[in-house]
Amino acid sequence: MDGDDDGISWFQFIREFDSRHFEDLILQKLEERSVAFLKGEQPNKLSDYIIPHVLAERCDDFAERTLLDHWYHLSECWDYPHLLLYLATPRTLELFANHYQEIVDKNEHFKLLCSTFGIGHWGRSGLTKIKQLKGLEPYLKDFDDQLISTLWDECNEKGFGEWRNVNLDHRVAKDSWVFKQINEEAAFAEIDAELKRDRSVERAAYSWAEIRGKRTKTAEALIERACSYVESRQTVEAASFLSQVVSLIGKRSDLDILKKYQRTKLLTAKEIEATDFSVRRRTLS
């Protein structure tokens, strides 16, 4: 059944099942790797693309014990050091701190952290505990802009906003989409750019809401940002932009927001009626 690939072709499917039924197989693969390592031979590293992810999803005593028992031949593979951080126990964090001193290119080392952590990977849990984030704090200075942005997004999605605010917001690159999320004037400049791209206000609103919606911004947060944009710009175009955003993603309770801008003559009664109709038709169910 194993064939030339030492059974890796079928072994990879243990990720789809309860790995507690495959603990002996996991230990067997690691033992085979250990034997080759101790003989000075090149170990079969194909399991290195499977076992770290399985142990990360387990995130239990078996995962910790297995990693610590076999660390002597696993430290050379970037996935296993990252697993130390994901498990985030006192022993694994201490072991990583020692290993960190031996890493030559620290920035390069962390580039694939999200793979082991399962961030942005279908079927994976990603961040689950605040201790996993606290374990990263000594190494944030080595994270590149892309990793900071991805981690920022994961924190937002998983409810770790307080930690994100203290540890990531000030590290976000100014040319990144994340910076536009947390910096109001940068966000307003982005809307200005959307409106200047030779498109209708409706298309600009759709594009902006669609992209921001995919980046974990809630409809409420988007409408609040659009309202702030009107307050900042105080133009008919800005108010029309808000009206279109409400039309696309707003609730019936959001319709009252628009009345303020009718009184200041930034919106017409006809525009508000059209938005009212769109929202009520979209929310019939």
Side-chain angles (χ1 to χ4, degrees):
M1 178 168 58
D2 284 356
D4 294 336
D5 63 357
D6 294 328
I8 296 300
S9 61
W10 63 265
F11 180 71
Q12 63 182 307
F13 292 107
I14 72 170
R15 288 179 290 195
E16 308 300 324
F17 302 97
D18 186 343
S19 64
R20 289 175 296 181
H21 300 307
F22 299 95
E23 290 180 357
D24 289 344
L25 285 171
I26 292 171
L27 295 176
Q28 177 189 324
K29 291 299 177 187
L30 289 174
E31 188 59 34
E32 291 170 359
R33 195 186 193 287
S34 171
V35 169
F37 175 82
L38 293 174
K39 287 182 178 180
E41 300 173 355
Q42 185 69 18
N44 185 336
K45 297 182 179 181
L46 291 175
S47 64
D48 294 343
Y49 298 99
I50 303 165
I51 293 176
H53 298 177
V54 171
L55 295 181
E57 289 303 305
R58 289 282 297 262
C59 205
D60 59 4
D61 290 342
F62 173 78
E64 180 184 11
R65 184 171 63 253
T66 300
L67 181 57
L68 295 178
D69 287 349
H70 287 272
W71 176 248
Y72 63 92
H73 66 94
L74 297 177
S75 61
E76 60 179 333
C77 173
W78 56 264
D79 236 335
Y80 288 104
H82 293 170
L83 181 59
L84 290 173
L85 291 170
Y86 189 80
L87 297 180
T89 69
R91 294 180 68 192
T92 63
L93 292 177
E94 180 182 6
L95 190 54
F96 183 85
N98 294 331
H99 175 71
Y100 175 80
Q101 304 305 319
E102 303 171 7
I103 300 172
V104 177
D105 190 338
K106 293 176 169 55
N107 182 265
E108 187 68 24
H109 174 80
F110 287 108
K111 283 187 175 180
L112 296 175
L113 181 77
C114 290
S115 177
T116 307
F117 273 48
I119 297 174
H121 289 250
W122 185 85
R124 298 288 306 282
S125 299
L127 290 171
T128 59
K129 303 178 180 70
I130 190 64
K131 70 175 185 177
Q132 293 167 327
L133 290 168
K134 290 183 179 296
L136 297 177
E137 288 176 8
Y139 316 109
L140 291 173
K141 62 184 182 297
D142 301 309
F143 290 10
D144 63 19
D145 293 342
Q146 179 60 44
L147 181 52
I148 291 292
S149 293
T150 303
L151 196 58
W152 188 95
D153 203 23
E154 178 79 354
C155 286
N156 259 17
E157 187 173 330
K158 297 297 181 61
F160 298 119
E162 185 176 346
W163 185 91
R164 184 222 77 208
N165 182 54
V166 172
N167 295 280
L168 297 182
D169 283 8
H170 66 284
R171 299 179 186 275
V172 169
K174 291 186 177 180
D175 61 349
S176 70
W177 67 266
V178 169
F179 184 79
K180 293 168 185 174
Q181 295 277 57
I182 60 179
N183 183 286
E184 196 162 73
E185 188 50 46
F188 294 165
E190 183 182 36
I191 297 174
D192 289 338
E194 287 283 351
L195 291 168
K196 288 178 181 177
R197 287 197 185 109
D198 293 327
R199 59 175 68 186
S200 69
V201 174
E202 182 180 5
R203 288 175 58 192
Y206 176 82
S207 176
W208 182 79
E210 178 75 7
I211 293 171
R212 295 297 156 270
K214 289 179 179 177
R215 290 172 176 169
T216 70
K217 273 283 189 182
T218 64
E220 291 81 2
L222 288 174
I223 291 172
E224 183 179 349
R225 178 58 58 84
C227 286
S228 298
Y229 177 68
V230 181
E231 293 298 317
S232 171
R233 298 301 189 253
Q234 289 293 315
T235 64
V236 168
E237 187 177 48
S240 181
F241 177 83
L242 168 62
S243 180
Q244 291 296 333
V245 170
V246 172
S247 180
L248 290 165
I249 62 173
K251 302 190 297 289
R252 297 188 183 193
S253 56
D254 295 321
L255 293 168
D256 289 338
I257 296 171
L258 304 179
K259 294 177 182 178
K260 170 183 177 181
Y261 302 109
Q262 182 182 8
R263 290 193 295 271
T264 57
K265 301 188 184 307
L266 292 178
L267 284 175
T268 66
K270 185 176 180 180
E271 285 180 293
I272 293 177
E273 287 172 9
T275 301
D276 185 289
F277 177 77
S278 295
V279 171
R280 292 183 186 281
R281 181 178 60 180
R282 179 169 48 79
T283 58
L284 280 175
S285 59

